[in-house]
Amino acid sequence: MGLADGLSAFLEEQWGEPVEVSGLAASSAGARRANISFDANGRGLVATIMPTAAIQLNRISAEAEVRILARARGVPVPEIIGWSEDDKWVGGPFFVSERVEGETVPRQVLRLVDKEGIGERVAHQLGVAMAQLHTIRPDDAPADLLDLGPGNPAEMALKALSVSMKNLLEPRPTLTLANRWLTERLPDAPAQHALVHTDIRNGNLIVGADGLRAILDWEGARRSGDPMEDAAWVALRMWRFRNDDREIGGFAGVEPFAEGYGSRFDMERFRWWKVYGTFKWAIGLAGQAGQFLDGSFRNIVMAASGRRVVEMEWDLLMLMGRDG
């Protein structure tokens, strides 16, 4: 069954009426999964397809459910139309969501933001959206969502990365130093755990002339975490795309973002999670390159990840040198 036929058959089962699919077009080239834009009976949709269930972080069903929950809490998320973990439709697990128009490619997003003069608006809207997301308590999240457990999120996250670091193909002294720095400054558990997205950044956003329209890519969401983990992730230098003076995604400084987030924004925790996030991404990039080299996932995007590790190490040295 071809892709168009598979999507048509799936939607016919969902909607209970004949469906004509047209205009199939790849809308991104991610390392893990494909996003296919298409029209169905005149409605703009996107199919997010995993090539195999073996590389899922969260199950497709859990990701779809957490998107529905976040949308119900006021977070800008494209509406979910349906999902399936059966590979008979399109060759792998997938879900279908509404198509939200706007820019997603980071540099194009930044050009749009500069043209419209809306950098502080986007940063503020992102703070508001994240604060809304973090009103979702772990007990309200899908039960089978990824979860580190009820302990201190910082301690558990750092412990998991320490194990990952030991599995890298070669030793990296800067990462060893960062691990020690983070351990010595480990924050206490947050006053309130919350659902966390874990990958909100420029590149996983849809932005239009009116500002933030949607937050994408919920595959790594977790039931329980420190809200400042999400807040810090968007601020890492790698997501600013040369706008290094605009800490929040290359849009604006921290102030409009923190104002949008509100009184629960915690600058000290934010600083610790910035170092952690850079450490995490350095290990992730090294691990992706390792997956290519050992043959477990032969994708050119994974291979290219290796060249970015030294950039992350430089960022870590700068962050630790300024004490976060």
Side-chain angles (χ1 to χ4, degrees):
M1 185 184 301
L3 181 57
D5 291 338
L7 290 171
S8 177
F10 172 75
L11 290 173
E12 286 178 0
E13 185 173 284
Q14 294 285 305
W15 293 345
E17 62 182 43
V19 175
E20 180 179 349
V21 167
S22 61
L24 291 170
S27 60
S28 72
R32 300 181 62 85
R33 54 193 191 174
N35 290 304
I36 308 298
S37 176
F38 67 100
D39 294 321
N41 290 1
R43 187 173 182 180
L45 303 175
V46 175
T48 299
I49 305 170
M50 294 293 295
T52 170
I55 62 169
Q56 291 182 114
L57 298 177
N58 277 301
R59 294 175 60 183
I60 282 289
S61 58
E63 181 178 352
E65 288 168 3
V66 82
R67 285 178 176 238
I68 292 169
L69 175 60
R71 181 179 171 86
R73 293 295 182 92
V75 183
V77 185
E79 179 185 357
I80 291 289
I81 306 303
W83 67 88
S84 177
E85 295 180 340
D86 192 332
D87 62 8
K88 72 177 183 179
W89 304 107
V90 296
F94 74 105
F95 60 81
V96 176
S97 57
E98 69 170 329
R99 185 170 68 232
V100 176
E101 302 298 336
E103 298 290 353
T104 57
V105 177
R107 294 191 188 281
Q108 294 177 8
V109 168
L110 293 177
R111 281 196 287 270
L112 172 65
V113 165
D114 288 344
K115 176 184 175 183
E116 301 293 336
I118 57 172
E120 291 196 358
R121 181 194 302 175
V122 173
H124 186 275
Q125 291 171 326
L126 194 54
V128 171
M130 232 181 267
Q132 289 296 108
L133 171 64
H134 296 150
T135 66
I136 302 175
R137 303 307 180 204
D139 288 347
D140 297 329
D144 58 346
L145 207 63
L146 291 170
D147 191 5
L148 293 178
N152 184 345
E155 183 178 358
M156 291 185 292
L158 186 57
K159 182 178 180 180
L161 280 191
S162 298
V163 173
S164 297
M165 188 171 67
K166 293 177 182 179
N167 293 329
L168 297 180
L169 296 183
E170 59 182 14
R172 306 202 70 96
T174 299
L175 300 187
T176 300
L177 176 64
N179 192 26
R180 184 185 311 135
W181 188 99
L182 289 162
T183 300
E184 291 172 351
R185 294 161 177 80
L186 191 74
D188 294 334
Q192 181 64 61
H193 290 59
L195 172 69
V196 287
H197 179 289
T198 77
D199 199 16
I200 298 176
R201 58 179 172 83
N202 188 3
N204 282 337
L205 309 174
I206 301 178
V207 177
D210 54 342
L212 178 66
R213 292 181 177 173
I215 296 173
L216 305 174
D217 201 0
W218 294 72
E219 68 169 327
R222 293 202 315 269
R223 293 186 74 235
S224 179
D226 185 336
M228 288 300 103
E229 178 181 359
D230 274 344
W233 188 250
V234 73
L236 302 189
R237 190 179 69 84
M238 58 198 171
W239 310 133
R240 302 176 204 168
F241 299 91
R242 298 186 180 178
N243 288 352
D244 286 355
D245 59 328
R246 305 176 193 175
E247 189 168 0
I248 302 301
F251 308 129
V254 174
E255 291 78 11
F257 173 80
E259 180 182 321
Y261 194 92
S263 61
R264 291 176 295 158
F265 184 83
D266 186 328
M267 183 60 77
E268 291 305 310
R269 307 181 78 83
F270 174 79
R271 289 172 174 167
W272 187 89
W273 282 105
K274 272 200 303 182
V275 177
Y276 169 85
T278 306
F279 178 56
K280 172 185 175 180
W281 196 234
I283 291 175
L285 290 169
Q288 287 179 354
Q291 285 183 296
F292 177 85
L293 292 171
D294 68 16
S296 59
F297 195 18
R298 304 288 288 187
N299 181 292
I300 190 61
V301 176
M302 307 294 272
S305 296
R307 67 182 177 84
R308 301 290 310 280
V309 178
V310 291
E311 296 177 33
M312 299 302 101
E313 290 176 329
W314 172 262
D315 287 347
L316 279 169
L317 292 171
M318 296 300 99
L319 286 168
M320 292 186 294
R322 293 195 298 268
D323 199 27

